[in-house]
Amino acid sequence: MILTITLNPSVDIQYRLSDFNIDTVNRVTDVRKTAGGKGLNVARVIRQLDEKVSATGFLGGSLGDFINSELKRLNIENGFMPITGDTRNCIAIIHNGEQTELLEDGPVIQQEEASQFLRQFREQAKQANWITISGSLPKGLQKNYYEQMLAIANEVGIPVLLDTKGDLLARSLQGDTVPYLIKPNQDELADLLGEEKLDIEDVRVAIQSVLFDGVDWVVITMGAQGAVVKHKDKVYRVHSPKINAANPVGSGDSVIAGFATGLARQLSGENLIKFGLAMGVLNAMEEQTGYVDITKVSWCIEQMKVEDWV
Ligand SMILES: Nc1ncnc2c1ncn2[C@@H]1O[C@H](COP(=O)(O)OP(=O)(O)OP(=O)(O)O)[C@@H](O)[C@H]1O
Ligand SMILES: O=P(O)(O)OC[C@@]1(O)O[C@H](CO)[C@@H](O)[C@@H]1O
């Protein structure tokens, strides 16, 4: 079973507009609402791939109720802990071929809720074979909360795929227990290294930084440009097929779902890379966030090209 962690879930609202105008009224007819936050997108894609998944994190208020009912409808095992605060909304406005996102901070987690969740997490982790941890930390949690979770997962012997950025990612790489897989995108990698921007050649060098020592898989995603992947001492350049992208939001989450599922199925090397990254491509082809058309999985894997770089 794959356990997905979403500490700051959201009800994602997607507005599609042919034109978006500032400082005036915009009326929206194309509206979608989904149980979101990165880890819930991961859980949904794993479920679509028919792998056993359980989702956990904090949920509260009426938006929490919506997510609880969505988990039931999607037949995803619900391990979320109820909290006194209110789960947030995140809004993505898709307009003029661009995408503007408004992300609420989310609830403040009480100290007792934070400690109770760590106790619950230890028990849930014991039931899992793989763990994914995704997204931002809600307010009220200590900055080292992910490090505490990595330590617990390590104690119970379960590897973690971590998808976060900035200080949270930097801290997780400096702690005693590092993740098994990380997946920063090109901009997040630049940010981690204190650089303004990185081109593809910079990425090839940066991925071999000592910063990633001990992390088995480093996956740097680059949207339509594909990815650069490091596994132990090997580096690969991955090319994705050219597609008509409908909505790339959640492609990174779908890649995490792909790698977790592939690992659960004992895929390795290039087969795992192709399977994992194909899920990002398939998500980008769909309007729905965190959704893949499973009838296209074999086609997409065949289109992925993996080149040995080092
Ligand atoms: N337009 C696209 N065309 C082809 N493949 C794409 C496209 N967008 C995303 N992908 C695939 O999905 C993977 C992940 O995409 P991306 O780099 O945009 O992740 P991300 O920035 O973490 O996304 P998000 O934070 O929105 O989930 C890419 O490495 C690529 O394989
Ligand atoms: O605030 P976080 O946790 O960093 O990101 C939240 C979020 O933007 O990420 C997903 C796309 O990856 C969306 O479903 C969601 O709204």
Side-chain angles (χ1 to χ4, degrees), residues 6 8 10-12 34-38 41 88-91 101 103-104 134-137 163 165 249-253 289:
T6 323
N8 205 2
S10 77
V11 174
D12 284 346
T34 47
K38 296 186 189 305
N41 297 336
R88 64 178 172 157
N89 274 128
C90 287
I91 301 175
E101 293 186 44
L103 309 183
E104 292 180 18
S134 311
S136 59
L137 275 190
D163 181 17
K165 59 185 173 185
V249 181
S251 279
D253 308 330
T289 301

